[in-house]
């Protein structure tokens, strides 16, 4: 595990951050086409295992780039976003809250995409416990790992001011409450969802 900067925990997540990583065409990390593709996958997976989604929670929602494409595919769902960024909350209407303080609600689908690398080990572990408490069905989860940094991401675009941990670190902790379905999809072990054993990784 390596933390690359002592300032990561205090990252401001202000306007400049969101413009750099999400708005500016030369420096952004995803396009509207990427967002739509991710949402088609999530919606298809939920439909495939017959998980009816009426409440979606997006934890660390940022610009809310999954909101519109997901609601188009799941028109009966309600979407709630939370974020620690005052800027994002004011601009997009999210609840101003940290993932570690998630203390109410039950959601059929929880999204937590590229958030936990901003938390130190102790807080990230607590955050995974909160996700397990609030998720009653499917979790779509991703976080930049040390393997991703070395092998998968575009280092010229990706924020390195984070806590890089091994994939194994996340899998062990997520595995306590979730079955890993692959592709970033996890099913809560207590959810009334049938996941055939060869469809799950653990
Ligand atoms: C890399 S962005 C990802 C945004 C969005 N999930 C996406 O994939 O587009 C990280 C987001 O996590 C938020 N964040 C960081 N720490 C958080 C925390 N403790 N609780 C909730 N959100 C947090 C930031 O404000 C920022 O919006």
């Amino acid at each position: 595990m390596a933390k690359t900067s002592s300032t990561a925990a205090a990252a401001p997540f202000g306007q400049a951050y969101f413009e750099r990583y999400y708005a500016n065409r030369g420096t952004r990390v995803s396009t509207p086409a990427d967002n739509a593709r991710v949402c088609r996958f999530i919606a298809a997976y939920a439909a495939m295992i017959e998980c009816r989604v009426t409440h979606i929670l997006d934890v660390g929602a940022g610009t809310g780039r999954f909101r519109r494409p997901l609601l188009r595919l799941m028109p009966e769902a309600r979407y709630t976003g939370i974020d620690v960024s005052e800027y994002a909350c004011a601009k997009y209407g999210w609840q101003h809250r940290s993932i570690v303080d998630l203390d109410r609600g039950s959601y059929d689908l929880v999204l937590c995409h590229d958030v936990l690398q901003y938390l130190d080990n102790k807080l990230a572990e607590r955050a995974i416990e909160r996700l397990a408490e609030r998720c009653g069905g499917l979790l779509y989860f991703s976080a930049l790992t040390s393997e991703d940094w070395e092998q998968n991401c575009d280092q010229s675009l990706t924020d390195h001011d984070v806590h890089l941990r091994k994939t194994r670190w996340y899998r062990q902790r997520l595995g306590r409450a979730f079955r890993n379905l692959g592709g970033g999809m996890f099913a809560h072990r207590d959810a009334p969802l049938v996941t055939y054993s060869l469809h799950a990784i653990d």
Side-chain angles (χ1 to χ4, degrees), residues 13 17-18 22 58-66 82-85 88 97-100 112-115 117-119:
F13 303 113
Y17 174 89
F18 290 104
Y22 295 98
D58 194 350
V59 177
T63 59
R65 63 194 174 104
F66 300 132
I82 70 147
D83 207 293
V84 287
S85 161
R97 182 175 295 233
S98 168
I99 183 171
V100 295
C112 185
H113 188 265
D114 277 355
V115 179
Q117 68 262 33
Y118 290 101
L119 278 63

Short mmCIF file of all heavy atoms in Angstrom, two decimals, residues 13 17-18 22 58-66 82-85 88 97-100 112-115 117-119, ligand 1:
data_model
loop_
_atom_site.label_atom_id
_atom_site.label_comp_id
_atom_site.label_asym_id
_atom_site.label_seq_id
_atom_site.Cartn_x
_atom_site.Cartn_y
_atom_site.Cartn_z
N PHE A 13 -11.76 18.74 -3.96
CA PHE A 13 -12.86 18.35 -4.86
C PHE A 13 -13.70 19.58 -5.20
O PHE A 13 -14.92 19.57 -5.05
CB PHE A 13 -13.72 17.24 -4.24
CG PHE A 13 -12.95 16.01 -3.87
CD1 PHE A 13 -12.79 15.64 -2.56
CD2 PHE A 13 -12.34 15.25 -4.87
CE1 PHE A 13 -12.06 14.51 -2.22
CE2 PHE A 13 -11.60 14.11 -4.54
CZ PHE A 13 -11.46 13.75 -3.20
N TYR A 17 -11.05 20.67 -9.85
CA TYR A 17 -10.93 19.20 -9.92
C TYR A 17 -11.92 18.64 -10.94
O TYR A 17 -11.55 17.84 -11.81
CB TYR A 17 -11.20 18.63 -8.52
CG TYR A 17 -11.26 17.12 -8.46
CD1 TYR A 17 -10.11 16.37 -8.23
CD2 TYR A 17 -12.47 16.43 -8.63
CE1 TYR A 17 -10.16 14.98 -8.18
CE2 TYR A 17 -12.53 15.06 -8.58
CZ TYR A 17 -11.37 14.34 -8.36
OH TYR A 17 -11.42 12.97 -8.31
N PHE A 18 -13.17 19.07 -10.84
CA PHE A 18 -14.20 18.49 -11.73
C PHE A 18 -14.00 18.96 -13.18
O PHE A 18 -14.27 18.20 -14.11
CB PHE A 18 -15.60 18.81 -11.21
CG PHE A 18 -15.89 18.05 -9.94
CD1 PHE A 18 -15.87 18.68 -8.71
CD2 PHE A 18 -16.15 16.69 -9.98
CE1 PHE A 18 -16.10 17.97 -7.54
CE2 PHE A 18 -16.38 15.96 -8.82
CZ PHE A 18 -16.36 16.61 -7.60
N TYR A 22 -13.39 15.89 -15.57
CA TYR A 22 -14.69 15.52 -16.16
C TYR A 22 -15.18 16.44 -17.28
O TYR A 22 -16.01 16.00 -18.07
CB TYR A 22 -15.75 15.41 -15.06
CG TYR A 22 -15.42 14.28 -14.12
CD1 TYR A 22 -14.78 14.53 -12.91
CD2 TYR A 22 -15.66 12.96 -14.48
CE1 TYR A 22 -14.40 13.48 -12.07
CE2 TYR A 22 -15.29 11.91 -13.66
CZ TYR A 22 -14.66 12.19 -12.46
OH TYR A 22 -14.28 11.14 -11.65
N ASP A 58 -25.85 6.73 -5.34
CA ASP A 58 -24.53 6.97 -5.96
C ASP A 58 -23.65 7.65 -4.91
O ASP A 58 -23.89 8.80 -4.53
CB ASP A 58 -24.70 7.84 -7.21
CG ASP A 58 -23.45 7.85 -8.08
OD1 ASP A 58 -22.40 7.36 -7.63
OD2 ASP A 58 -23.53 8.37 -9.21
N VAL A 59 -22.67 6.92 -4.45
CA VAL A 59 -21.82 7.38 -3.34
C VAL A 59 -20.58 8.04 -3.91
O VAL A 59 -19.83 7.41 -4.65
CB VAL A 59 -21.42 6.17 -2.47
CG1 VAL A 59 -20.48 6.60 -1.37
CG2 VAL A 59 -22.64 5.48 -1.90
N GLY A 60 -20.38 9.31 -3.58
CA GLY A 60 -19.30 10.06 -4.21
C GLY A 60 -19.67 10.32 -5.66
O GLY A 60 -18.93 10.05 -6.60
N ALA A 61 -20.86 10.88 -5.84
CA ALA A 61 -21.49 10.97 -7.17
C ALA A 61 -20.74 11.90 -8.12
O ALA A 61 -20.87 11.76 -9.34
CB ALA A 61 -22.94 11.43 -7.02
N GLY A 62 -19.98 12.85 -7.58
CA GLY A 62 -19.21 13.76 -8.45
C GLY A 62 -20.12 14.57 -9.35
O GLY A 62 -21.02 15.28 -8.89
N THR A 63 -19.92 14.45 -10.66
CA THR A 63 -20.76 15.18 -11.61
C THR A 63 -22.07 14.42 -11.89
O THR A 63 -22.90 14.90 -12.67
CB THR A 63 -20.03 15.36 -12.96
OG1 THR A 63 -19.73 14.05 -13.47
CG2 THR A 63 -18.75 16.15 -12.81
N GLY A 64 -22.21 13.24 -11.31
CA GLY A 64 -23.44 12.45 -11.53
C GLY A 64 -23.52 11.92 -12.95
O GLY A 64 -24.59 11.82 -13.54
N ARG A 65 -22.35 11.53 -13.47
CA ARG A 65 -22.32 11.17 -14.91
C ARG A 65 -23.10 9.90 -15.23
O ARG A 65 -23.42 9.63 -16.37
CB ARG A 65 -20.88 11.07 -15.40
CG ARG A 65 -20.05 9.99 -14.73
CD ARG A 65 -18.59 10.23 -15.04
NE ARG A 65 -17.73 9.31 -14.32
CZ ARG A 65 -17.15 8.27 -14.89
NH1 ARG A 65 -17.36 8.00 -16.16
NH2 ARG A 65 -16.35 7.50 -14.19
N PHE A 66 -23.42 9.09 -14.20
CA PHE A 66 -24.20 7.88 -14.46
C PHE A 66 -25.70 8.11 -14.31
O PHE A 66 -26.50 7.26 -14.66
CB PHE A 66 -23.79 6.76 -13.50
CG PHE A 66 -22.33 6.38 -13.61
CD1 PHE A 66 -21.53 6.25 -12.48
CD2 PHE A 66 -21.74 6.15 -14.86
CE1 PHE A 66 -20.20 5.90 -12.59
CE2 PHE A 66 -20.41 5.80 -14.98
CZ PHE A 66 -19.63 5.68 -13.84
N ILE A 82 -24.75 11.25 -3.04
CA ILE A 82 -24.09 11.89 -1.90
C ILE A 82 -22.65 12.19 -2.27
O ILE A 82 -22.07 11.52 -3.13
CB ILE A 82 -24.13 11.03 -0.61
CG1 ILE A 82 -23.21 9.81 -0.73
CG2 ILE A 82 -25.52 10.63 -0.21
CD1 ILE A 82 -22.58 9.43 0.58
N ASP A 83 -22.08 13.19 -1.64
CA ASP A 83 -20.68 13.54 -1.93
C ASP A 83 -20.15 14.43 -0.81
O ASP A 83 -20.93 15.12 -0.15
CB ASP A 83 -20.58 14.28 -3.28
CG ASP A 83 -19.21 14.08 -3.93
OD1 ASP A 83 -18.21 14.58 -3.37
OD2 ASP A 83 -19.13 13.41 -4.97
N VAL A 84 -18.84 14.40 -0.61
CA VAL A 84 -18.23 15.32 0.36
C VAL A 84 -17.91 16.67 -0.26
O VAL A 84 -17.58 17.61 0.45
CB VAL A 84 -16.92 14.77 0.99
CG1 VAL A 84 -17.18 13.66 1.96
CG2 VAL A 84 -15.93 14.38 -0.08
N SER A 85 -17.98 16.75 -1.58
CA SER A 85 -17.63 17.99 -2.26
C SER A 85 -18.76 19.01 -2.13
O SER A 85 -19.86 18.80 -2.67
CB SER A 85 -17.36 17.69 -3.74
OG SER A 85 -17.43 18.88 -4.49
N ALA A 88 -19.74 20.06 -5.69
CA ALA A 88 -20.61 19.13 -6.44
C ALA A 88 -22.02 19.10 -5.85
O ALA A 88 -23.01 19.04 -6.58
CB ALA A 88 -20.00 17.72 -6.44
N ARG A 97 -22.48 14.63 2.35
CA ARG A 97 -22.26 13.59 3.34
C ARG A 97 -21.07 12.73 2.91
O ARG A 97 -20.86 12.52 1.72
CB ARG A 97 -23.52 12.72 3.40
CG ARG A 97 -23.52 11.62 4.40
CD ARG A 97 -24.88 10.99 4.37
NE ARG A 97 -25.88 11.95 4.83
CZ ARG A 97 -26.74 11.71 5.80
NH1 ARG A 97 -26.73 10.55 6.39
NH2 ARG A 97 -27.61 12.61 6.18
N SER A 98 -20.34 12.24 3.89
CA SER A 98 -19.25 11.31 3.57
C SER A 98 -19.78 9.89 3.55
O SER A 98 -20.71 9.55 4.30
CB SER A 98 -18.14 11.42 4.62
OG SER A 98 -17.24 10.34 4.46
N ILE A 99 -19.16 9.08 2.75
CA ILE A 99 -19.54 7.67 2.70
C ILE A 99 -19.46 7.02 4.09
O ILE A 99 -20.27 6.16 4.42
CB ILE A 99 -18.64 6.91 1.69
CG1 ILE A 99 -19.06 5.45 1.57
CG2 ILE A 99 -17.18 7.02 2.01
CD1 ILE A 99 -18.35 4.72 0.44
N VAL A 100 -18.52 7.44 4.90
CA VAL A 100 -18.37 6.79 6.22
C VAL A 100 -19.49 7.18 7.18
O VAL A 100 -19.65 6.57 8.23
CB VAL A 100 -16.99 7.09 6.87
CG1 VAL A 100 -15.88 6.47 6.06
CG2 VAL A 100 -16.77 8.57 7.04
N CYS A 112 -20.50 2.93 -6.36
CA CYS A 112 -19.37 3.56 -5.67
C CYS A 112 -18.18 3.44 -6.60
O CYS A 112 -17.46 2.44 -6.60
CB CYS A 112 -19.11 2.87 -4.32
SG CYS A 112 -17.82 3.71 -3.39
N HIS A 113 -18.03 4.45 -7.42
CA HIS A 113 -17.07 4.37 -8.52
C HIS A 113 -15.96 5.40 -8.34
O HIS A 113 -16.20 6.61 -8.31
CB HIS A 113 -17.81 4.60 -9.85
CG HIS A 113 -16.94 4.37 -11.04
ND1 HIS A 113 -16.25 5.37 -11.67
CD2 HIS A 113 -16.62 3.22 -11.68
CE1 HIS A 113 -15.56 4.85 -12.68
NE2 HIS A 113 -15.77 3.56 -12.70
N ASP A 114 -14.74 4.88 -8.16
CA ASP A 114 -13.54 5.74 -8.08
C ASP A 114 -13.60 6.71 -6.91
O ASP A 114 -13.25 7.89 -7.05
CB ASP A 114 -13.35 6.53 -9.39
CG ASP A 114 -12.63 5.67 -10.43
OD1 ASP A 114 -12.21 4.55 -10.10
OD2 ASP A 114 -12.50 6.13 -11.58
N VAL A 115 -14.01 6.21 -5.77
CA VAL A 115 -14.11 7.05 -4.57
C VAL A 115 -13.14 6.56 -3.48
O VAL A 115 -12.43 7.36 -2.86
CB VAL A 115 -15.56 7.02 -4.00
CG1 VAL A 115 -15.66 7.86 -2.74
CG2 VAL A 115 -16.54 7.50 -5.06
N GLN A 117 -10.30 5.22 -3.29
CA GLN A 117 -8.86 5.50 -3.32
C GLN A 117 -8.52 6.84 -2.66
O GLN A 117 -7.37 7.13 -2.39
CB GLN A 117 -8.31 5.46 -4.75
CG GLN A 117 -8.76 6.56 -5.68
CD GLN A 117 -9.92 6.12 -6.57
OE1 GLN A 117 -10.75 5.32 -6.15
NE2 GLN A 117 -9.98 6.64 -7.78
N TYR A 118 -9.55 7.65 -2.39
CA TYR A 118 -9.31 8.93 -1.71
C TYR A 118 -9.34 8.80 -0.19
O TYR A 118 -9.12 9.78 0.51
CB TYR A 118 -10.33 9.97 -2.18
CG TYR A 118 -10.08 10.40 -3.61
CD1 TYR A 118 -10.84 9.89 -4.65
CD2 TYR A 118 -9.05 11.28 -3.92
CE1 TYR A 118 -10.58 10.25 -5.97
CE2 TYR A 118 -8.78 11.64 -5.23
CZ TYR A 118 -9.55 11.13 -6.24
OH TYR A 118 -9.28 11.49 -7.54
N LEU A 119 -9.65 7.61 0.30
CA LEU A 119 -9.74 7.40 1.75
C LEU A 119 -8.56 6.56 2.22
O LEU A 119 -8.11 5.65 1.50
CB LEU A 119 -11.05 6.66 2.11
CG LEU A 119 -12.32 7.52 2.21
CD1 LEU A 119 -12.69 8.16 0.89
CD2 LEU A 119 -13.48 6.66 2.70
C1 LIG B 1 -12.89 10.39 -8.98
S1 LIG B 1 -14.35 11.21 -8.45
C2 LIG B 1 -15.59 10.00 -8.93
C3 LIG B 1 -16.93 10.62 -9.13
C4 LIG B 1 -17.99 9.63 -9.65
N1 LIG B 1 -18.19 8.54 -8.75
C5 LIG B 1 -17.59 9.14 -11.02
O1 LIG B 1 -17.21 7.97 -11.16
O2 LIG B 1 -17.66 9.94 -11.94
C6 LIG B 1 -14.29 11.02 -6.70
C7 LIG B 1 -15.49 11.58 -5.99
O3 LIG B 1 -15.51 11.08 -4.66
C8 LIG B 1 -15.92 12.11 -3.80
N2 LIG B 1 -15.48 11.76 -2.44
C9 LIG B 1 -14.22 11.74 -1.96
N3 LIG B 1 -14.20 11.33 -0.68
C10 LIG B 1 -15.49 11.05 -0.34
C11 LIG B 1 -16.13 10.58 0.83
N4 LIG B 1 -15.44 10.32 1.95
N5 LIG B 1 -17.47 10.40 0.82
C12 LIG B 1 -18.20 10.68 -0.30
N6 LIG B 1 -17.64 11.14 -1.45
C13 LIG B 1 -16.30 11.32 -1.47
C14 LIG B 1 -15.29 13.35 -4.40
O4 LIG B 1 -15.87 14.55 -3.96
C15 LIG B 1 -15.51 13.09 -5.88
O5 LIG B 1 -16.77 13.57 -6.29
#
